[in-house]
Amino acid sequence: MKRYFFLLPLFGLALWAQPLPKVKDVRFNQPLNTQNVEYNPIISPSGKYLVFQSNRPGGEGGMDIWISENKSFPDRMKYPEWDAPKNFRELNTPNFEGMFSILFDEDEKPYELYFTSVRNKDANDPKKNREGYDGLNIYYTKINHRTGLWSAPVALNEINSSFEDKMPAISPDGCSMIFSSNRPGGRGGYDLWISKRNPLTVPEIKQPNLDKPSLFCRDGIWQKPIALGDVINSKDDEISPSYHWDGNRIYFSSNREDKNKKFSFYFSEMNLETALFQKPEILGSPFNTKQGLSADSTGYPFDTPADYSTYSLWEESDNEGISVTHDDLWFYFSSNRPGGEGQFDIYRTQVPEDLRRSYEFLFRGLVLDGSEAIMIGLDATLKIYDETKPIQIITSKRIGGDLSSEDLENFRTVLKTGKLYRVEVSSPGFHPQELLIDLRGNVGKNKEQYSRIVLQPIRPVKDDRPNKTIQGIRFVVKDRKTDLVIPNAEIIYFDDLTRKGKVIISKDNTFHLEKEPTYAFEILAKAKGYKEETFLYPDTVIKDMVGKETVLYLRNLSDFDELYNTVIYFPFNERSLRVEDKKRLDLFADYLIQHKNEKVEIGGHTDNVGKREYNITLSEDRANSVYQYLRDKGVAKEKMKIQAYYYSQPISDNETEEGRARNRRVNFKKID
């Protein structure tokens, strides 16, 4: 069971993807589509490759199999930029090759390929000679992952007949194949037939990835095909079948109930109890061909009207060959409707939510009391909204003990995938939190989210008026999470005249500047077990601080990922990064990209040699060099902030060269 773990800090966060933007449907231009036929697009599970058949120039002759790579990959929402298709020369001959299906393994690599072709006895390359019956046959080839080469195709004679057998669709587990044939035994015209195979060897799948189908039947003999029956087939034609990624739904095209015998898309769900496909449905609203369609509808341009009720311009178009990405976001299909580059063209459209699978999803975790140094479980109410309306109200229970185990929980409930949920978490005397759980798209089966939600107590608002008992400015150092005073903390005062810093002596865990500072100043606060921080106070705020207590909050080191301890050191007066620095920053860049809610301050530092103004510029340049490198590695600019500390935050004595070398650095600070 795949799990998702989150520790929620002071404020509620959106944990999952934001709502998908409305994306218009696309007919691809050249080089993907041409004035020739581009038909039966098969999109790879990740959306990186598109395989299709075409009779475009540059092939082996006739209809060939071609492959194109998406140069926009892996951005799922960006418009795909397909490179110039390459001919699949290993399999193509001067005759017909097309109407195929690819079986992918668990690593999304091609494993087997089934395609439609004809006997070939006259090829210049004897390796491409093929046996088979008259007419169309189904052929099979398997890739050698060691060499990357496909084996010589073999006629699948346990399935083929003396009639036209074409358009194979292999199930994602490799155990079933559906194809179209006009052989006797069907209802008439071309019908859909199914063959199954039992594996000779059963693979050992220790930890199946429930996001992807497991390849169970890697070998075995295909059984005698049987017609899918009157539920699926009609007296007209059923062609170009394909499987949904989970194997429990098929798509196909049929010209049933169409007076012009034009093809529209249908789908059929499998009854999991009987393992039989149910009565097919024409792709409904907004796909219904009896309704007027527009370029703003979700499903446009899926199916085109088959009668004269609307859009008579499109009455003669066919819609054949469809596949769906494994994230359930995109349909790819072919159509010969007007407005394309040529005959059949390849189109793409977003999968509507009502065609995405819905599974049970477990939401569980701990609501914790953030007012305690050692947090305990908290009585709280969780209101769960289905986008706009409340659908569930559950409660968490107060529990104690060691709550560090990921399996301990004080709430749980079951949600359904396919929706966006908003969760409000509240408890009397605590600040409420809100989080989003986005279960739209392909979430998959048997998933769960485990969340640790920390509620912070509502503390009385402090009187902001000066306290006449406080002489000068008072400081106190507290734990950022618990708001408790940190004993044995230290603070050091810096200004333009105090380059080395002045230690402020503590009295009862408070620190006093009895004399009002004349210039802008900084305070360096540190404590054992906490990450030290520098606090900057410009001269414009000094008067408002007099007679008041200012809290300096520090974070416990346990609240940080180890990568936040990364330090980049610089030689004297240098700003550029070394090779070893870039290797350390590569790890930090990967961490920030993977943790979408993390934000970081990049702090530049110098020794105390030279004037303050020069050192401010130098420390900013050092921070900028790190910032620019992280940007080049793909870290969003919104996740980073630059701060120039010059010599106000030394970590070593500036009296020695060794100490000054340690102070010439860039380090990192987590930002809420």
Side-chain angles (χ1 to χ4, degrees):
M1 180 180 291
K2 188 173 180 180
R3 295 174 180 170
Y4 302 85
F5 299 97
F6 299 94
L7 178 60
L8 301 179
L10 202 57
F11 303 103
L13 300 174
L15 302 182
W16 294 68
Q18 294 301 307
L20 296 176
K22 174 67 177 171
V23 178
K24 285 187 178 293
D25 309 293
V26 171
R27 172 186 58 78
F28 297 105
N29 299 314
Q30 295 188 22
L32 188 64
N33 288 321
T34 67
Q35 62 183 357
N36 297 85
V37 169
E38 279 75 40
Y39 186 81
N40 190 40
I42 302 294
I43 187 70
S44 67
S46 64
K48 185 176 183 180
Y49 297 100
L50 189 67
V51 187
F52 60 97
Q53 68 186 66
S54 177
N55 60 354
R56 65 207 293 148
E60 294 291 307
M63 193 71 71
D64 282 349
I65 300 174
W66 297 74
I67 184 169
S68 179
E69 182 175 355
N70 179 11
K71 292 187 287 186
S72 300
F73 181 84
D75 190 331
R76 297 185 303 170
M77 299 309 301
K78 190 175 181 181
Y79 179 83
E81 186 181 354
W82 297 105
D83 66 2
K86 297 177 178 59
N87 190 271
F88 210 144
R89 298 195 185 277
E90 282 185 77
L91 303 183
N92 293 323
T93 70
N95 296 313
F96 178 95
E97 282 80 32
M99 298 182 293
F100 56 92
S101 180
I102 305 173
L103 180 63
F104 295 91
D105 63 17
E106 290 86 354
D107 296 324
E108 298 187 358
K109 296 178 180 178
Y111 184 79
E112 293 177 334
L113 191 147
Y114 296 84
F115 65 101
T116 311
S117 189
V118 296
R119 282 189 307 197
N120 188 49
K121 293 289 187 182
D122 302 320
N124 293 327
D125 184 354
K127 294 180 180 179
K128 294 187 177 181
N129 284 344
R130 290 176 189 155
E131 302 297 331
Y133 295 99
D134 291 337
L136 296 173
N137 296 276
I138 296 174
Y139 291 83
Y140 153 82
T141 178
K142 184 175 182 179
I143 198 169
N144 183 325
H145 283 304
R146 184 176 61 83
T147 64
L149 300 176
W150 292 89
S151 62
V154 176
L156 206 60
N157 285 335
E158 56 264 47
I159 286 180
N160 292 326
S161 70
S162 298
F163 295 84
E164 303 286 347
D165 302 303
K166 62 181 183 179
M167 300 180 170
I170 184 77
S171 63
D173 62 5
C175 298
S176 299
M177 181 192 296
I178 295 176
F179 62 97
S180 183
S181 177
N182 63 352
R183 65 179 66 191
R187 289 199 62 192
Y190 281 94
D191 290 313
L192 298 185
W193 296 70
I194 187 168
S195 175
K196 298 189 177 183
R197 65 175 172 180
N198 295 319
L200 298 177
T201 57
V202 178
E204 182 182 359
I205 304 175
K206 296 180 180 179
Q207 291 183 329
N209 186 342
L210 297 170
D211 281 331
K212 305 172 185 175
S214 297
L215 182 50
F216 191 76
C217 298
R218 296 173 181 266
D219 49 28
I221 305 299
W222 290 101
Q223 306 301 309
K224 181 180 178 180
I226 60 172
L228 280 181
D230 294 351
V231 174
I232 297 295
N233 294 319
S234 70
K235 60 182 177 61
D236 296 303
D237 296 317
E238 283 72 42
I239 62 172
S240 59
S242 65
Y243 274 93
H244 184 270
W245 70 271
D246 66 4
N248 296 326
R249 178 191 291 164
I250 58 170
Y251 300 96
F252 63 94
S253 294
S254 178
N255 59 6
R256 64 181 74 188
E257 300 178 7
D258 190 291
K259 63 183 179 181
N260 294 319
K261 299 305 177 187
K262 297 302 172 183
F263 286 91
S264 295
F265 292 118
Y266 289 76
F267 72 96
S268 173
E269 301 283 359
M270 178 184 285
N271 184 321
L272 298 181
E273 294 182 0
T274 64
L276 298 175
F277 287 104
Q278 302 176 82
K279 182 179 178 180
E281 299 177 47
I282 194 167
L283 286 172
S285 179
F287 304 107
N288 194 331
T289 58
K290 303 299 182 185
Q291 295 179 359
L293 303 179
S294 72
D296 294 325
S297 65
T298 305
Y300 171 86
F302 239 119
D303 284 324
T304 54
D307 58 18
Y308 291 92
S309 61
T310 56
Y311 291 88
S312 59
L313 174 65
W314 290 350
E315 69 198 18
E316 296 300 320
S317 59
D318 292 291
N319 305 277
E320 306 171 24
I322 187 169
S323 65
V324 62
T325 54
H326 279 208
D327 55 14
D328 254 1
L329 286 181
W330 302 108
F331 274 122
Y332 284 76
F333 64 98
S334 54
S335 176
N336 65 354
R337 64 197 57 188
E341 291 287 334
Q343 299 170 48
F344 273 89
D345 286 310
I346 295 173
Y347 294 79
R348 181 188 80 156
T349 192
Q350 214 174 68
V351 178
E353 291 294 337
D354 59 0
L355 281 180
R356 294 193 179 122
R357 293 294 192 192
S358 182
Y359 304 106
E360 288 192 344
F361 181 94
L362 179 61
F363 174 46
R364 67 186 187 93
L366 278 168
V367 179
L368 297 166
D369 181 348
S371 66
E372 305 287 343
I374 300 177
M375 290 184 286
I376 62 174
L378 179 66
D379 289 323
T381 299
L382 292 87
K383 294 182 179 179
I384 303 175
Y385 294 80
D386 174 357
E387 297 180 337
T388 57
K389 59 184 179 181
I391 59 167
Q392 285 191 52
I393 299 178
I394 61 174
T395 58
S396 64
K397 300 298 181 184
R398 194 169 186 86
I399 57 175
D402 181 6
L403 303 182
S404 60
S405 170
E406 66 184 40
D407 288 320
L408 288 176
E409 61 186 57
N410 62 359
F411 73 88
R412 72 160 46 205
T413 190
V414 174
L415 306 175
K416 297 290 286 186
T417 63
K419 297 180 180 180
L420 173 68
Y421 296 93
R422 180 170 60 87
V423 183
E424 293 180 356
V425 187
S426 61
S427 183
F430 290 82
H431 291 286
Q433 281 197 39
E434 181 178 296
L435 59 145
L436 296 179
I437 304 177
D438 195 342
L439 302 185
R440 296 170 297 182
N442 174 22
V443 178
K445 302 177 183 178
N446 302 321
K447 300 295 181 60
E448 69 172 55
Q449 175 177 315
Y450 179 90
S451 298
R452 294 169 66 88
I453 305 168
V454 181
L455 297 186
Q456 297 294 346
I458 299 173
R459 296 185 171 93
V461 178
K462 294 180 179 178
D463 188 349
D464 202 37
R465 293 173 297 178
N467 185 340
K468 294 182 180 180
T469 64
I470 297 177
Q471 300 298 316
I473 301 174
R474 177 192 292 174
F475 294 95
V476 62
V477 183
K478 291 187 177 182
D479 185 299
R480 186 179 188 85
K481 182 181 291 184
T482 65
D483 203 40
L484 299 176
V485 173
I486 302 174
N488 303 317
E490 300 177 55
I491 72 170
I492 304 172
Y493 172 90
F494 294 87
D495 63 19
D496 282 355
L497 302 179
T498 316
R499 289 191 181 186
K500 296 181 182 180
K502 176 183 177 182
V503 176
I504 307 300
I505 304 301
S506 167
K507 182 178 181 181
D508 298 328
N509 292 320
T510 60
F511 304 84
H512 289 83
L513 286 178
E514 295 183 358
K515 186 177 180 181
E516 179 180 330
T518 307
Y519 309 99
F521 67 96
E522 294 93 36
I523 295 291
L524 171 62
K526 57 174 71 175
K528 186 176 181 180
Y530 288 83
K531 190 171 181 64
E532 62 186 36
E533 300 280 2
T534 291
F535 302 86
L536 311 178
Y537 299 102
D539 52 13
T540 55
V541 304
I542 294 175
K543 288 191 177 298
D544 291 334
M545 299 175 68
V546 175
K548 299 177 185 176
E549 179 178 279
T550 299
V551 179
L552 309 175
Y553 284 107
L554 298 183
R555 290 177 181 270
N556 196 295
L557 289 175
S558 62
D559 295 340
F560 287 87
D561 187 276
E562 195 65 29
L563 282 169
Y564 276 98
N565 294 325
T566 301
V567 180
I568 306 298
Y569 294 101
F570 291 81
F572 179 73
N573 210 30
E574 287 292 327
R575 301 159 172 81
S576 57
L577 297 172
R578 297 168 294 181
V579 173
E580 57 268 30
D581 299 330
K582 294 178 179 179
K583 290 180 180 179
R584 287 194 289 270
L585 290 175
D586 288 343
L587 296 174
F588 198 51
D590 290 342
Y591 174 83
L592 291 175
I593 292 170
Q594 293 171 16
H595 295 75
K596 299 188 183 304
N597 293 322
E598 294 282 301
K599 293 184 179 180
V600 64
E601 178 192 277
I602 302 170
H605 304 266
T606 67
D607 57 30
N608 67 351
V609 177
K611 294 184 177 180
R612 176 177 180 270
E613 290 76 14
Y614 179 81
N615 279 297
I616 289 175
T617 301
L618 179 59
S619 61
E620 187 173 26
D621 289 346
R622 288 170 174 169
N624 259 317
S625 66
V626 172
Y627 169 88
Q628 192 56 54
Y629 185 79
L630 293 176
R631 286 285 291 124
D632 293 343
K633 300 301 289 186
V635 180
K637 62 182 180 181
E638 295 80 8
K639 296 172 66 68
M640 298 182 289
K641 171 189 172 184
I642 289 175
Q643 180 64 54
Y645 287 105
Y646 55 101
Y647 47 72
S648 65
Q649 199 178 35
I651 57 174
S652 191
D653 191 350
N654 271 311
E655 295 300 305
T656 66
E657 176 51 39
E658 181 181 354
R660 289 192 292 272
R662 294 192 65 216
N663 291 333
R664 298 190 293 261
R665 71 197 190 280
V666 165
N667 55 10
F668 303 95
K669 172 182 174 182
K670 186 174 181 178
I671 301 175
D672 286 328

